[in-house]
Amino acid sequence: MAQKSARLISSTTAVHHLHASKKPLIPTMTIINTVEQTPLEDEVYLGEEGTDTTLGSDEPGSAVARGSYTVPNGVAVEPLKNYGGHKDLQNTCPDDVRHLLETKGLFDVYDKFVQAIVDTKNTRGSLLGKWKDAQFISVLDLFRDEFTDKGVRVALCKRKSGKGTYRWLEFIGVDAVGDTYEPQYDVANRSGQVVKTAYSRLQFPNGVAVEELKQWGGRRKLKEKIPVHVEKMLTEHGLMKEYDQMVDHVIEAGAGSFLKGSWDMNKLKAIMDVYKPIFAAKGIDIFVSHKQEYISHGQHGGHVEHYRWIEFVDRAVQPSYQPQRDANTKDEGCTVM
C-alpha cells in the first residue's frame, strides 16, 4: 500500500483557518451526535452478493438472478444453470436473445459459440457439469470480435447470493444502450478487490475503487494508508487533495460507539453528502456502504459484526453501477438480544 500524501488539513476546524481569506473548498456542515436506534431488521439490498430482493414491477428492463439485478432494455439475457447447464444452452434459446441476434445477423455466430462451449469439455466439471468461469470465458473470447463487429457485446456474469450462485449471459445491443450501461457482474471485468465478511466475499469491477473502514483501529489505518486502486483513480482525476480533506473529516467527525464498530453510520452518510458534489464534478461518485452479520456462539448467544467501506465509482468506466450495500438504501439498526 502506498503511503498517504501529506495532509494540508488535520481537522474540520483547520479547514476554515486555512481558507480564512477566501471561500472554503469544503462546505460547513452539522454532525448530529444523537442517533435513533431501531431494532435490527432483515436486510435486503439491491445487487448485494449475499441477499436477494425482488424489484418493483415498474423497473425497466429484465430481472435476473431471481430478481436481484435488472438489466436495461436493449440487453438480452440467457440464464445458465450451474450444473449440467450445457444441455439447456444447446437445446434452448430465450426469445429475446434470438430476436436480438437474428436482427443483427448473428444467430449463426451464436450457434457456433454454443457448440464450441458444448464441445469444449473443460468449460465444466466432469462429475456434475458445474461451469468453470475462466475456461468458459476463454471460449467466449474466440467469438467476441464477431459479435462486436455487428454491434453486440457479450458478457458472462456471475452473482453469489445467500440462496445460491447465479450465472447468465448478457447480449448487449450497443445501439440500444450506447455508453450508458456496463454489466457490473461481468466475470471478465473484475478488479481483484474484495471485501471479506464472516459469511460473504463481495467483489468489485474495474472502475470501482474500495476503501474499507476497519472496525479495529479504523481511524488510524484510514490515516496511514490508501488502497492502490483508490490512489490511482483519484490521482488520475485530480482529486487527491479533496480526498485527504475528506479523510480528515471522516476521522474527526465519523467516530461512533465501540458496540457499533467504532463508526457512526449516520455521521458518515452526512459527511459523504458534503463531498458527493465535489467528487461528482470530476466524474467520481462516492458511496458509503455497510453490512452487518450475526455471528452465532451456539448456546452462548452471539454478536453482530459490522463491515463498512467507501466506494469510488468512475462514471466514465461504470456508468450504470450501483453499490451492493449502499448505506442510503437502508439505515443501520442496533441488535435486540
Side-chain angles (χ1 to χ4, degrees):
M1 297 283 187
Q3 294 294 316
K4 287 187 182 291
S5 57
R7 288 197 168 38
L8 300 177
I9 301 166
S10 61
S11 70
T12 51
T13 302
V15 173
H16 302 291
H17 291 311
L18 182 63
H19 298 282
S21 61
K22 58 182 179 179
K23 184 177 179 180
L25 174 64
I26 307 304
T28 59
M29 65 178 294
T30 300
I31 299 295
I32 300 173
N33 290 317
T34 60
V35 179
E36 180 180 353
Q37 294 185 334
T38 56
L40 184 65
E41 303 174 16
D42 292 335
E43 298 178 0
V44 178
Y45 291 80
L46 173 63
E48 179 204 354
E49 295 190 25
T51 54
D52 285 310
T53 180
T54 301
L55 302 174
S57 59
D58 58 345
E59 291 284 349
S62 303
V64 297
R66 296 185 66 179
S68 60
Y69 178 64
T70 296
V71 300
N73 292 324
V75 179
V77 173
E78 180 158 15
L80 297 172
K81 288 184 177 179
N82 285 322
Y83 299 98
H86 63 289
K87 297 176 183 177
D88 281 354
L89 183 63
Q90 184 176 35
N91 296 329
T92 62
C93 176
D95 290 342
D96 57 343
V97 172
R98 179 180 292 273
H99 175 74
L100 172 64
L101 298 181
E102 287 182 344
T103 300
K104 297 291 186 179
L106 280 168
F107 201 77
D108 60 332
V109 177
Y110 168 83
D111 269 343
K112 290 187 293 183
F113 159 62
V114 168
Q115 192 61 51
I117 290 290
V118 172
D119 292 343
T120 307
K121 297 187 184 300
N122 70 353
T123 57
R124 54 199 181 272
S126 58
L127 183 60
L128 298 175
K130 183 179 179 179
W131 293 113
K132 296 181 179 180
D133 298 329
Q135 289 83 350
F136 191 108
I137 290 171
S138 69
V139 176
L140 173 58
D141 286 342
L142 300 176
F143 297 87
R144 284 192 192 278
D145 289 345
E146 291 185 78
F147 283 106
T148 301
D149 288 346
K150 293 189 176 181
V152 174
R153 294 173 57 201
V154 185
L156 170 65
C157 298
K158 177 181 176 181
R159 177 185 177 274
K160 290 184 178 179
S161 157
K163 295 183 179 179
T165 299
Y166 304 92
R167 289 179 177 84
W168 65 94
L169 288 168
E170 291 187 21
F171 297 88
I172 304 165
V174 176
D175 58 349
V177 301
D179 57 1
T180 64
Y181 176 73
E182 186 68 27
Q184 72 180 64
Y185 293 105
D186 184 355
V187 175
N189 193 37
R190 288 178 174 168
S191 65
Q193 298 171 96
V194 176
V195 170
K196 295 180 180 179
T197 71
Y199 302 120
S200 301
R201 205 169 166 272
L202 307 179
Q203 301 187 66
F204 301 87
N206 290 309
V208 177
V210 180
E211 180 151 27
E212 294 188 67
L213 303 175
K214 296 292 188 180
Q215 181 170 345
W216 307 107
R219 289 191 291 172
R220 174 181 56 80
K221 293 174 182 176
L222 186 63
K223 182 82 172 179
E224 290 177 349
K225 292 184 178 181
I226 176 173
V228 62
H229 288 84
V230 174
E231 184 175 43
K232 183 176 185 295
M233 177 185 292
L234 300 185
T235 298
E236 290 174 352
H237 286 78
L239 280 166
M240 282 304 299
K241 180 179 178 180
E242 292 87 341
Y243 166 81
D244 284 341
Q245 293 169 340
M246 183 186 75
V247 165
D248 284 323
H249 206 166
V250 167
I251 292 171
E252 177 76 14
S257 72
F258 172 77
L259 293 177
K260 299 293 289 183
S262 303
W263 296 103
D264 187 311
M265 187 52 64
N266 282 358
K267 293 178 182 179
L268 290 173
K269 288 192 290 185
I271 294 170
M272 291 302 112
D273 287 343
V274 172
Y275 288 88
K276 280 179 182 288
I278 297 171
F279 279 73
K282 294 187 177 182
I284 302 296
D285 280 350
I286 56 175
F287 302 91
V288 61
S289 297
H290 75 90
K291 191 177 193 299
Q292 54 193 48
E293 297 175 346
Y294 181 76
I295 310 300
S296 174
H297 300 168
Q299 63 180 348
H300 303 293
H303 73 281
V304 175
E305 285 286 340
H306 298 269
Y307 306 91
R308 300 177 179 90
W309 62 94
I310 300 171
E311 297 183 28
F312 302 86
V313 182
D314 185 344
R315 284 305 183 192
V317 180
Q318 288 289 341
S320 54
Y321 177 85
Q322 294 297 318
Q324 298 178 46
R325 296 290 303 205
D326 186 1
N328 286 312
T329 302
K330 188 173 181 179
D331 289 335
E332 189 176 45
C334 69
T335 306
V336 177
M337 303 302 258

